[in-house]
Amino acid sequence: MCKGFEDTEDAIAYAHQLMTRAQLAGCLNIDGHIPSREERALQIEIRVFVKKLRELIGDCKPKYLYPLLSYHDMLYRVGFHEAPPRKFREDIIARIFEEWEKGDSGISEADLYAIVAPQVRAHNPQLNPRHFSVYYRLRESWCQWLRHHDSFMINVDASSRENGMTYAENYRRLTQLVSDNLSAYFPNDEKECKSRWVAANLIDPNDEYVLFLSNEDEMEYHRFMTKASFLRLLPVGVSVDQTA
């Protein structure tokens, strides 16, 4: 663990906080404006933290590699105004797949999918064939499941887990799938299916099981709701602010 954090999840929470602060401060604007004093101070804080993230990525458990790498990529761009070193990212991605292929159950299917999906959507000709094969098998499996269920959890309002499924993993998978073209799997009612999945996975903030949600669960739910709102998949009368 790099100095200054109790554990890896603490560092992930801080990274999320930094991204939120950067967005509110205007650090994500690319309109050529002159950064405010707040923005400049925050960028310095981010650059210091990015160096700690690199140390942490080198020592952390495999299951934390993708979340940390994702925040490293985003924060590096904010703090340094350039893309992070390509080789560093490629080496970490290779490590993630190697650990997963060796049987590390801590690496989630959603993380593997999220690594490859943007390259598939961008029709990247340099996409690793092995990685694409994993992506394709996952999409086949997930869509087959969703032909018979509207959630990867048997009951989204139950505190029990099915086959190790967590709320966070459920929402990560759904966020990826609603972003993809799934007409090959749902040729006649793709948008209706996606809208149904969103409606089935809404969290009622008044239900008692909300007390058992982790910070990670809540972050992934918010991302899911934001994506559903952007794609106009939310039910009438429901807003992205309906969070746990």
Side-chain angles (χ1 to χ4, degrees):
M1 165 53 54
C2 63
K3 183 179 179 181
F5 296 98
E6 294 292 331
D7 54 36
T8 308
E9 292 185 2
D10 186 32
I12 291 173
Y14 182 67
H16 181 75
Q17 181 191 103
L18 278 179
M19 278 303 303
T20 301
R21 288 169 56 196
Q23 184 175 18
L24 294 175
C27 295
L28 307 189
N29 293 335
I30 54 174
D31 56 4
H33 76 290
I34 298 175
S36 66
R37 180 180 299 178
E38 179 186 5
E39 288 177 76
R40 292 195 297 272
L42 185 53
Q43 285 167 347
I44 292 173
E45 185 178 351
I46 287 173
R47 288 197 290 269
V48 171
F49 179 68
V50 164
K51 293 178 181 178
K52 292 184 177 182
L53 266 184
R54 288 178 73 98
E55 297 174 16
L56 180 54
I57 289 172
D59 297 331
C60 73
K61 294 179 180 179
K63 72 175 184 177
Y64 294 118
L65 284 171
Y66 179 69
L68 291 172
L69 180 62
S70 297
Y71 279 117
H72 176 273
D73 284 0
M74 293 185 288
L75 290 169
Y76 193 102
R77 294 173 189 275
V78 174
F80 294 93
H81 291 169
E82 62 183 28
R86 182 174 177 179
K87 187 176 186 308
F88 176 76
R89 175 178 174 79
E90 290 176 346
D91 288 348
I92 299 305
I93 288 176
R95 182 181 161 198
I96 291 171
F97 275 88
E98 287 169 5
E99 295 291 345
W100 179 73
E101 288 168 349
K102 287 190 293 187
D104 192 307
S105 60
I107 296 174
S108 79
E109 291 185 1
D111 287 347
L112 297 171
Y113 194 98
I115 290 170
V116 184
Q119 300 178 68
V120 175
R121 294 169 194 148
H123 305 287
N124 181 3
Q126 297 180 328
L127 175 61
N128 186 311
R130 285 171 48 237
H131 296 177
F132 176 76
S133 177
V134 172
Y135 161 88
Y136 181 79
R137 293 200 308 270
L138 290 177
R139 188 171 65 171
E140 285 279 317
S141 173
W142 293 357
C143 287
Q144 179 63 29
W145 175 266
L146 290 173
R147 286 193 177 100
H148 306 284
H149 310 275
D150 292 331
S151 173
F152 291 102
M153 301 187 72
I154 298 303
N155 292 299
V156 75
D157 60 346
S159 59
S160 62
R161 301 291 190 263
E162 178 70 14
N163 295 326
M165 181 61 60
T166 65
Y167 290 106
E169 175 72 3
N170 176 60
Y171 289 119
R172 274 197 292 263
R173 293 184 186 187
L174 290 170
T175 299
Q176 289 295 323
L177 286 178
V178 298
S179 305
D180 273 349
N181 181 344
L182 302 179
S183 58
Y185 301 92
F186 306 95
N188 300 317
D189 56 354
E190 178 188 3
K191 185 165 185 179
E192 289 81 358
C193 287
K194 291 178 177 179
S195 296
R196 190 174 68 246
W197 303 338
V198 170
N201 287 274
L202 295 176
I203 289 178
D204 184 343
N206 296 315
D207 282 350
E208 62 180 21
Y209 74 92
V210 170
L211 298 174
F212 300 100
L213 296 178
S214 67
N215 289 335
E216 181 187 21
D217 294 334
E218 293 184 8
M219 285 191 295
E220 295 303 335
Y221 179 67
H222 181 73
R223 291 192 180 103
F224 168 69
M225 291 290 284
T226 299
K227 178 62 70 173
S229 176
F230 177 76
L231 297 173
R232 299 182 179 180
L233 296 173
L234 292 179
V236 174
V238 174
S239 73
V240 71
D241 296 323
Q242 183 178 327
T243 56

